[in-house]
């Protein structure tokens, strides 16, 4: 008799912990981590990252350095970046990614030679549950594209 009661409490305890871990994982991972790496060969100045409901600024990104921020948009959004190159020319680009307020994951932006952009959109599978259930199995990284303006 005590074995049944003990097993019952163990199952309840395990179920509670499983639900807590699953729930807290989604709660703590809200927001998309955006990492920007400067591989342009020179310093980038006045970097600005815009998204729905906010923006992030960095005065200087040194060559071979990475800055990382958590982006929490207030509505559907893409990312827009702007910065000054070594000659003081303004460079602008729109990163065609789709993020929403409850999304999580990470996006890597690499600013390469000639200021071309390489974007890796690496997202956790729970991001897309609110959008399309079939995307649940998408565990890999996709490449977004940047439109230079």
């Amino acid at each position: 008799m005590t074995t049944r009661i003990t097993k019952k409490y163990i199952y309840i305890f395990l179920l509670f912990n499983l639900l807590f871990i699953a729930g807290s994982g989604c709660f703590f991972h809200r927001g998309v981590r955006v990492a920007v790496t400067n591989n342009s060969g020179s310093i980038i100045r006045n970097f600005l990252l815009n998204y729905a409901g906010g923006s992030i600024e960095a005065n200087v990104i040194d060559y071979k350095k990475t800055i990382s921020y958590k982006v929490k948009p207030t509505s559907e959004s893409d990312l827009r970046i702007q910065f000054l190159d070594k000659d003081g020319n303004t460079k602008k680009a729109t990163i065609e990614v789709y993020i929403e307020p409850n999304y999580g994951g990470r996006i890597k932006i690499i600013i390469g030679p000639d200021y071309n952009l390489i974007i890796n959109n690496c997202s956790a599978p729970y991001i897309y549950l609110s959008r399309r259930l079939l995307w649940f199995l998408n565990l890999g990284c996709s490449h977004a594209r940047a439109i230079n303006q």
Side-chain angles (χ1 to χ4, degrees):
M1 178 102 170
T2 58
T3 306
R4 271 194 205 159
I5 294 173
T6 305
K7 284 184 181 180
K8 178 181 173 183
Y9 286 120
I10 289 173
Y11 290 135
I12 291 172
F13 177 76
L14 291 174
L15 180 63
F16 176 76
N17 283 328
L18 180 64
L19 292 175
F20 176 76
I21 290 170
S24 65
C26 290
F27 176 75
F28 289 118
H29 289 81
R30 287 187 182 165
V32 176
R33 176 68 58 187
V34 177
V36 180
T37 302
N38 178 7
N39 285 343
S40 67
S42 62
I43 292 174
I44 290 175
R45 298 190 184 282
N46 298 341
F47 179 83
L48 180 64
L49 171 69
N50 288 310
Y51 56 92
S55 64
I56 295 169
E57 297 180 38
N59 289 333
V60 174
I61 305 175
D62 292 323
Y63 176 58
K64 292 285 186 183
K65 296 292 181 185
T66 300
I67 59 170
S68 181
Y69 298 100
K70 188 173 262 191
V71 170
K72 295 181 180 181
T74 55
S75 65
E76 298 174 353
S77 184
D78 56 8
L79 299 174
R80 294 166 305 283
I81 64 171
Q82 176 179 321
F83 58 89
L84 296 177
D85 66 10
K86 65 180 178 182
D87 300 324
N89 299 318
T90 301
K91 303 289 185 179
K92 295 181 181 181
T94 299
I95 316 277
E96 288 187 330
V97 294
Y98 182 83
I99 55 177
E100 286 187 5
N102 291 325
Y103 279 13
R106 64 186 188 274
I107 298 171
K108 297 177 185 176
I109 303 170
I110 300 169
I111 302 172
D114 298 325
Y115 305 102
N116 58 332
L117 300 177
I118 301 166
I119 298 102
N120 289 322
N121 181 11
C122 304
S123 303
Y126 68 85
I127 291 174
Y128 301 107
L129 288 177
S130 63
R131 193 80 176 136
R132 291 188 188 129
L133 187 59
L134 293 177
W135 287 17
F136 182 79
L137 299 175
N138 179 13
L139 298 174
C141 298
S142 61
H143 294 283
R145 70 182 187 137
I147 300 172
N148 294 324
Q149 299 172 340

